[in-house]
Amino acid sequence: LSPQEHGLDFQRLLDASAYKETYRQDMIRWGEEKRRADPGFFCRAAVEGAAQPVWVVSDTRRLSDVEWFRDVYGAAVQTVRVVATEETRKRRNWAFITGVDDAESECGLDQGVTFDWVITNDGDELALDEQLETLLRSLRSRL
């Protein structure tokens, strides 16, 4: 929503380019303002028009997001956290930026949430596939 309101190139914001970094702090500030005014703003936008029996909402960033989904959808919600070591993240060209990577938008779910699933993604494709298959089997059994 922020890119639409501010005339930004949405596709370029999806990669790890300097373009994204140029606008990242402004987008975080904009998002914080929206959340302060209405904690469910982004959650409602994510589910608007959704009619599928199962759907995935990726990239929630805050405890209030998780709480909103749990309040609205109850036991149907399954939370999944994907983790990688800092070493793996650095190999993938991640670099810590003070004021960005320590902001709630990046680490708001590091504490206070008990995830139903934790998936490790450190580059071992076989291990990742096994974890994802276990998750998918469990989700299918709930249908």
Side-chain angles (χ1 to χ4, degrees):
L1 296 172
S2 176
Q4 295 166 344
E5 288 184 22
H6 297 97
L8 302 177
D9 182 334
F10 180 72
Q11 289 304 314
R12 290 187 66 198
L13 293 172
L14 296 176
D15 62 27
S17 67
Y19 182 86
K20 175 182 176 179
E21 293 305 319
T22 300
Y23 297 105
R24 192 171 180 192
Q25 286 185 316
D26 290 337
M27 289 188 307
I28 290 170
R29 263 192 302 281
W30 177 86
E32 295 304 324
E33 291 170 10
K34 292 290 189 185
R35 278 185 181 81
R36 273 193 295 281
D38 176 6
F41 177 82
F42 292 104
C43 297
R44 280 192 307 283
V47 301
E48 186 177 320
Q52 300 82 349
V54 175
W55 31 278
V56 175
V57 178
S58 64
D59 212 19
T60 58
R61 299 292 182 115
R62 291 166 181 74
L63 180 57
S64 61
D65 294 340
V66 174
E67 290 171 340
W68 186 89
F69 280 100
R70 286 180 173 159
D71 288 347
V72 173
Y73 297 104
V77 172
Q78 291 284 288
T79 54
V80 179
R81 182 174 180 101
V82 179
V83 298
T85 64
E86 190 169 325
E87 180 181 300
T88 297
R89 296 172 72 200
K90 286 179 180 177
R91 275 196 319 267
R92 294 173 178 159
N93 295 321
W94 172 80
F96 182 87
I97 299 172
T98 302
V100 174
D101 292 306
D102 53 358
E104 184 182 9
S105 65
E106 300 301 314
C107 55
L109 296 176
D110 287 353
Q111 298 177 20
V113 178
T114 301
F115 289 90
D116 299 301
W117 299 89
V118 177
I119 304 293
T120 301
N121 183 11
D122 277 324
D124 182 337
E125 289 185 41
L126 201 54
L128 180 60
D129 286 345
E130 287 176 16
Q131 294 171 87
L132 294 174
E133 188 56 42
T134 301
L135 170 60
L136 288 171
R137 275 195 308 272
S138 175
L139 295 175
R140 286 182 191 118
S141 74
R142 296 171 59 99
L143 294 176

